[in-house]
Amino acid sequence: MPPNSLVSTADTSLLEPSGRPLPGTPTVERARHMNWALKALVPIAAVLVNGLLLFVLVSSSLAPGPRNDVIAVAAGGAFVIFAAVLVVLSVSVRRPMLELQEKIARVRLGDMDVRVKFADRNDEIGDLGRDFNDMVQQLKSSREEIQRLHHSQMSRAEHFATLGELAAGLAHEIRNPLAGIAGVLEIVGRDLPQDSPARLVMADAKQEAVQINRILSDLLETARPRPPQFRPADLAATAEHAVGFARQQAVTKRIAIELEVKRDLPPVEHDPNQINQVLLNLLLNAVQSMESAGTVRVSLDTDAPAEYALITVTDEGKGIPPEHIKNIFRPFFTTKGHGTGLGLSLARRTVEAHGGKIEVTSEVGKGACFVINLPVERKI
């Protein structure tokens, strides 16, 4: 066999008659090493040879005839002992090792029903066989569980995909008549007298129509996300646009929104419209979480190698309970009675579509801090 043979002689059941591995057989490169039998028998042979030499020296005082007979008997005995040890080792050690190598090769091919036959031996090799059989059984059970979970997840994914298509269709059908209703409210509101109490009702109805349209827009965005339109742009300008709009919503609550750019940022490859929506969502959530006057701080920075742009949004609101932290990015999860639970889910998906990530830390009663990491240059 060549020195760098890829298939051991123990795996004879996985070889073609020509000696090549069967198709699909996993090959493991084995380094050159001394055969186990030589390792075991060399010290035994050395002991027997030394004993024989010692016996020859001791028997040198005998007469030539008897001495030759004794030496011949001793040499024959040594050979018999050596052969017996070789046979015992071959039967008790070599065969189990060959079987174990064959079964390991079959496990690599995906056969989890293999078992070694020497597991019923009452010695260390039997312990090895029992451990191997237990390991294969555990692997088989784990693979069956993984397959079961995979099928379950695939079924759920298909179910949610169907629901998403249905929701998108409904949202599209609702938006058209909703636009008509909003137009009628606008016309009726203009025709009402200035001192008519119905003007307040019309204003509330128009606000609710805007809210419904926003919910439908989020639902459509969830079901049919638009891929980002990447281009190198000024991230500070994107943040300023979102902050300017959020300030209009926060002025009535006496909440200040501060923007700080800690260093000159290089142009960041991003979709300004999508990142603007992400920041606006975080800012409006921050404003809604604050029940009294305070400050929402937005800071822009880069990491040390300037590979990522960091956007931090910190508020002084009521914070997020620890049991809710792991769920806030899930679709339709919300702690607000009037929320849809889609905003943060869309925000995370948008950031991940940009190759970044969004993280949150919070302490109840002291506010929350969202950190967005966006790569300065996209890795294609």
Side-chain angles (χ1 to χ4, degrees):
M1 178 175 289
N4 295 325
S5 176
L6 297 181
V7 179
S8 169
T9 54
D11 300 328
T12 54
S13 62
L14 302 177
L15 298 178
E16 294 179 349
S18 62
R20 294 191 303 269
L22 289 173
T25 302
T27 57
V28 178
E29 188 173 356
R30 303 182 185 276
R32 297 183 62 184
H33 53 76
M34 183 184 295
N35 187 277
W36 68 271
L38 293 178
K39 290 182 179 179
L41 294 178
V42 164
I44 296 175
V47 171
L48 290 176
V49 169
N50 289 332
L52 184 60
L53 292 175
L54 180 62
F55 182 79
V56 169
L57 292 175
V58 171
S59 61
S60 59
S61 59
L62 298 176
R67 182 176 60 192
N68 293 337
D69 294 340
V70 170
I71 292 175
V73 170
F79 177 79
V80 171
I81 293 174
F82 188 82
V85 170
L86 179 62
V87 171
V88 170
L89 289 177
S90 177
V91 173
S92 63
V93 178
R94 179 173 173 77
R95 287 183 181 177
M97 293 302 101
L98 294 177
E99 181 184 358
L100 183 61
Q101 285 183 320
E102 177 189 351
K103 295 302 170 43
I104 290 174
R106 295 193 181 279
V107 169
R108 290 196 190 116
L109 293 173
D111 184 3
M112 295 297 173
D113 294 322
V114 298
R115 298 293 184 272
V116 294
K117 299 177 181 178
F118 57 84
D120 55 351
R121 287 177 47 171
N122 191 23
D123 55 12
E124 289 81 357
I125 293 181
D127 292 339
L128 176 63
R130 286 186 288 273
D131 290 341
F132 174 80
N133 289 346
D134 292 342
M135 180 192 69
V136 173
Q137 181 61 40
Q138 292 178 7
L139 288 174
K140 180 180 180 181
S141 301
S142 298
R143 186 172 69 172
E144 291 174 350
E145 180 66 13
I146 291 173
Q147 291 175 344
R148 185 187 67 80
L149 292 175
H150 173 71
H151 290 311
S152 175
Q153 291 295 327
M154 289 298 296
S155 299
R156 291 184 62 188
E158 293 176 0
H159 177 67
F160 282 124
T162 303
L163 289 178
E165 293 178 2
L166 177 62
L170 287 175
H172 181 72
E173 294 299 325
I174 292 173
R175 290 183 73 182
N176 291 333
L178 183 64
I181 293 172
V184 171
L185 291 174
E186 181 70 25
I187 295 172
V188 173
R190 286 202 307 262
D191 293 340
L192 289 174
Q194 292 294 332
D195 57 350
S196 173
R199 279 186 169 272
L200 296 177
V201 177
M202 287 296 177
D204 291 340
K206 288 196 309 185
Q207 185 64 31
E208 291 300 325
V210 171
Q211 174 70 2
I212 293 173
N213 187 68
R214 185 183 66 82
I215 293 172
L216 292 174
S217 298
D218 287 347
L219 190 58
L220 282 172
E221 187 68 22
T222 302
R224 298 174 182 174
R226 180 177 62 85
Q229 303 297 316
F230 292 103
R231 62 183 177 87
D234 186 359
L235 188 61
T238 303
E240 288 174 0
H241 186 270
V243 168
F245 189 86
R247 281 173 177 159
Q248 300 176 16
Q249 309 295 318
V251 65
T252 57
K253 298 184 66 173
R254 294 180 299 158
I255 295 175
I257 301 179
E258 298 179 354
L259 174 61
E260 178 187 9
V261 182
K262 295 187 176 180
R263 68 183 76 188
D264 292 335
L265 297 177
V268 177
E269 288 192 70
H270 68 288
D271 185 324
N273 292 328
Q274 290 193 2
I275 297 301
N276 173 74
Q277 289 298 318
V278 170
L279 289 176
L280 185 58
N281 184 278
L282 295 180
L283 290 171
L284 294 181
N285 284 349
V287 170
Q288 293 171 6
S289 71
M290 298 171 62
E291 299 175 348
S292 59
T295 303
V296 177
R297 293 178 173 83
V298 182
S299 66
L300 273 66
D301 200 354
T302 59
D303 61 353
E307 294 180 353
Y308 285 86
L310 309 178
I311 310 173
T312 305
V313 179
T314 308
D315 63 61
E316 299 172 352
K318 55 188 177 182
I320 306 171
E323 63 271 17
H324 291 162
I325 288 286
K326 62 181 179 181
N327 295 319
I328 62 173
F329 293 109
R330 290 176 53 190
F332 305 109
F333 179 86
T334 179
T335 57
K336 300 180 292 185
H338 60 280
T340 63
L342 293 174
L344 289 178
S345 173
L346 288 173
R348 183 177 68 171
R349 189 167 64 186
T350 299
V351 171
E352 290 178 349
H354 280 69
K357 63 180 180 179
I358 180 171
E359 300 173 328
V360 58
T361 57
S362 179
E363 186 175 350
V364 176
K366 295 186 178 181
C369 177
F370 287 83
V371 180
I372 298 174
N373 292 261
L374 290 179
V376 174
E377 295 181 359
R378 288 195 306 134
K379 298 178 176 62
I380 303 176

